[in-house]
Amino acid sequence: MSLFTHLLACLLGMGSWVSINGLWVELPLLVPQIPEGWYLPSYLSVVIQMANVGPLFVTLMHRFRPGKLNETAVIYLIIGVGTLAGLLLAFFWRETAVVAGAPRSVALLALTFFLSTVDCTSSVTFLPFMMRLKPRYLTTYYIGEGLSGLLPALVALVQGVGVVDCVNGTASARTANGTVTYELEARYQPANFSAEVFFFFLSAMMLVCLAAFLLLNHHPAVARERQSPEYTNGVRASDKRADPFRAVDAKPRSSFGAGTYSWRQLFYIFGVLAWVNALTNVVVPSVQSYSCLPYGNKAYHLSATMAAVSNPLACFIAVFLPIRSLLVMGVLTVVGTGVAGYIVSMAALSPCPLLVHHTSGALLIWRGPPVEEPPGGGAPLVEEPPVEEPPWWRSPPVFAWIVFVLTLSYVKVIIGLILRDEGHSALVWCGAVVQLGSLLGAVTMFPLVSVSSFFSSGDPCNTKCP
C-alpha cells in the first residue's frame, strides 16, 4: 500500500463536504449579524436541496449519454468553483439587498448555492473516480469525508463559536424577606477570530483538495496504485474467496453491475442508503439543538464535537473490518434508527426532555453556571442545589449522538464497499441515492422545524421544568 496515495485519497474526501459543514458550524457567529436571524438555517436547507440540480445532471448524463461526460474535467470544475465561492464569502457574506421590501443576505445565499452544488455533485463524481484506484483506497476516502465535518468543527471550537455565558438580567421576583430572583441571560462570547478568517480557511481546504486531485491524476507513485488486470469490477478473485461476508454467485443474479445481488437485494441496499443519509444528513441534525440544549450548553457542544469524531472513527474501523454482510448492515441500521428515534423524541419533548432537572437523572445532567451577585448589589439570588458534573459519556445526548453517528456511518461504508465491487455505474447511483435521501429528509423536516411549532427551543440558562 502507498501511504502517499492514502493521504491524497483522504484529502480528496475531506474536500467533498468541508465547505457546507463549515458553514453550518459557523452559524452562531453569522446569525446575529444578518437580517434573517435564526431563520437562516431553514433558508440554507432549501438552498442546499436546490443544489441537487448538479448531481441530477451528472446522473442523467451517465444514464442517457454514457461516456460523453468527462468526469475529471467536472471534478476540476467543481473544486475550482468551491474554492472561488469560499473566497468570495469571506468578502461579501455581510452584504444585503432589498428583496420584497425587506433586506436579505443575497450574497450569502447565492454563494451557498454554489458551495452546495459543489458538495452535492461530489457525491456522484468523487466516488466513481475512486474506481480508478485499488479498492482499499475507497475506505480512506470515506475517512476523509468524515474529517470534512470534524476539521471545521475543531477550527470553530478554537474560534470559540457558540460559547455562551449566563449572566444576570432583569429581576423576575422578590420574596417577602427581600430576596430577589433574577432571570439569567445567554450571551455569546466574542470569537477568537472573525468569520472572514474562517471562510479563508474553507477556501484553503478546497485548494488542498485541488492539489490532492492533481497528484492523484499525475503523480507516478499513484499510477502504480491504479487497478491492474487482476481486478474484476475493482475486486480480486482471491479477495472474493477470502471474504466470508460477501455473497458471491458464479451466475449473475441481475443485470446491475457485476450481477452479484438480485434486484430485491439491490432495492434493499439502495433503500437503506437513502434512509441512512436522510437521517444522518438532515432529519436528526435539524433537531440537534432541541435535543441537547435542555441538558446544558456544554452537552450541546460535546454532542456536536463527538458526533464529528465518530464519523471518521467508523470509517477507520472499516479499514480493519471491511464487512459486506447485508445482515450486519440491517442490524446496524435498526440500532442507529432506534437511537435516532430517541434523539428526535427528546427534541419533541424540548425544553423538558426525560431526566432533565430531575433527581432521578442527576447523574446524567450537567451542572449550570455559578450564580452571580445582582447588578448594583442587593439581595443574593436564589440558587439551585449543585449537581456533580458527570463524565461526558454519561450525558444522554452525547452518548446517543456517538452511537447514532458511529453505527450509521459504518453502514454507509458497508454500502460503499458493496457498490464499489459492482463497478463505476453503481457508485454513480450511490451518489445519486445519497442526495435523494437527503432531499426527502429535508422535505419532511422543513415544515416540522421551520413552519410548525412542533419543536420548541430550550434556554440553556433559564429552562424550568416541573
Side-chain angles (χ1 to χ4, degrees):
M1 288 191 297
S2 168
L3 292 178
F4 179 68
T5 308
H6 276 294
L7 176 63
L8 295 180
C10 182
L11 292 176
L12 178 66
M14 195 182 301
S16 60
W17 282 93
V18 69
S19 298
I20 292 302
N21 288 333
L23 190 61
W24 280 111
V25 300
E26 195 71 359
L27 283 181
L29 194 60
L30 305 181
V31 163
Q33 305 179 59
I34 59 173
E36 288 81 5
W38 278 108
Y39 286 104
L40 179 63
S42 301
Y43 296 147
L44 291 183
S45 298
V46 175
V47 169
I48 292 171
Q49 299 313 315
M50 289 172 58
N52 279 308
V53 63
L56 177 63
F57 170 76
V58 173
T59 305
L60 291 177
M61 285 293 292
H62 278 290
R63 175 64 180 85
F64 296 106
R65 301 295 298 274
K68 297 294 184 181
L69 190 66
N70 188 331
E71 203 168 69
T72 302
V74 172
I75 295 178
Y76 278 123
L77 175 64
I78 64 175
I79 296 178
V81 170
T83 303
L84 180 60
L87 190 63
L88 292 175
L89 264 180
F91 294 102
F92 299 109
W93 71 271
R94 298 174 187 266
E95 300 299 319
T96 61
V98 177
V99 178
R104 302 292 181 191
S105 302
V106 176
L108 175 61
L109 294 174
L111 291 171
T112 299
F113 173 78
F114 287 107
L115 287 178
S116 305
T117 303
V118 169
D119 291 0
C120 292
T121 308
S122 71
S123 298
V124 293
T125 52
F126 287 12
L127 278 175
F129 172 80
M130 294 303 297
M131 278 292 299
R132 304 182 185 184
L133 302 176
K134 294 175 182 177
R136 62 174 70 100
Y137 296 108
L138 181 64
T139 306
T140 309
Y141 170 85
Y142 274 115
I143 293 176
E145 193 174 87
L147 291 175
S148 72
L150 175 61
L151 190 59
L154 293 178
V155 174
L157 198 62
V158 174
Q159 186 184 15
V161 169
V163 179
V164 175
D165 282 333
C166 297
V167 299
N168 293 326
T170 57
S172 61
R174 182 182 294 273
T175 62
N177 61 5
T179 301
V180 181
T181 301
Y182 282 80
E183 286 289 336
L184 296 177
E185 293 181 355
R187 293 183 184 175
Y188 287 99
Q189 293 181 1
N192 296 322
F193 52 87
S194 66
E196 288 82 358
V197 174
F198 187 83
F199 288 135
F200 282 132
F201 159 75
L202 294 182
S203 184
M205 288 303 304
M206 293 303 298
L207 277 176
V208 170
C209 177
L210 177 61
F213 186 65
L214 278 167
L215 293 173
L216 283 171
N217 277 290
H218 302 292
H219 199 281
V222 178
R224 293 193 293 269
E225 297 301 315
R226 297 190 185 278
Q227 291 195 48
S228 59
E230 66 178 325
Y231 286 85
T232 303
N233 289 316
V235 184
R236 289 182 299 188
S238 60
D239 291 341
K240 293 180 184 179
R241 291 192 298 268
D243 187 354
F245 296 104
R246 189 172 188 273
V248 178
D249 280 336
K251 179 180 173 182
R253 304 175 65 186
S254 70
S255 58
F256 183 86
T260 307
Y261 301 95
S262 66
W263 284 112
R264 180 178 298 179
Q265 290 173 320
L266 288 170
F267 282 125
Y268 165 68
I269 292 170
F270 281 116
V272 170
L273 180 64
W275 174 255
V276 166
N277 280 277
L279 291 179
T280 57
N281 296 347
V282 180
V283 174
V284 181
S286 66
V287 298
Q288 183 174 28
S289 60
Y290 300 103
S291 67
C292 298
L293 275 179
Y295 296 94
N297 193 60
K298 187 173 182 180
Y300 171 72
H301 282 284
L302 274 175
S303 66
T305 304
M306 296 309 299
V309 171
S310 300
N311 192 327
L313 177 60
C315 301
F316 185 74
I317 293 173
V319 173
F320 303 98
L321 290 173
I323 296 174
R324 294 171 174 85
S325 168
L326 299 185
L327 177 60
V328 172
M329 181 179 75
V331 171
L332 291 178
T333 301
V334 170
V335 172
T337 301
V339 178
Y342 167 79
I343 294 173
V344 174
S345 299
M346 295 305 99
L349 293 174
S350 176
C352 297
L354 297 179
L355 302 180
V356 79
H357 303 323
H358 280 263
T359 304
S360 60
L363 293 179
L364 301 176
I365 300 170
W366 298 103
R367 180 175 56 196
V371 180
E372 303 174 0
E373 291 295 322
L381 302 180
V382 175
E383 299 188 37
E384 294 291 334
V387 179
E388 183 179 356
E389 184 173 307
W392 59 265
W393 54 270
R394 289 168 64 182
S395 181
V398 179
F399 181 73
W401 271 88
I402 291 174
V403 175
F404 166 70
V405 176
L406 198 63
T407 54
L408 295 192
S409 294
Y410 192 80
V411 168
K412 288 193 280 188
V413 176
I414 291 176
I415 296 176
L417 292 173
I418 288 173
L419 297 179
R420 172 66 175 74
D421 297 349
E422 297 305 300
H424 180 278
S425 63
L427 287 181
V428 173
W429 282 106
C430 175
V433 173
V434 165
Q435 296 307 123
L436 176 63
S438 301
L439 174 61
L440 294 176
V443 170
T444 302
M445 295 305 294
F446 180 79
L448 291 177
V449 175
S450 304
V451 179
S452 71
S453 56
F454 189 77
F455 298 99
S456 301
S457 298
D459 187 334
C461 296
N462 295 297
T463 299
K464 301 296 183 183
C465 297

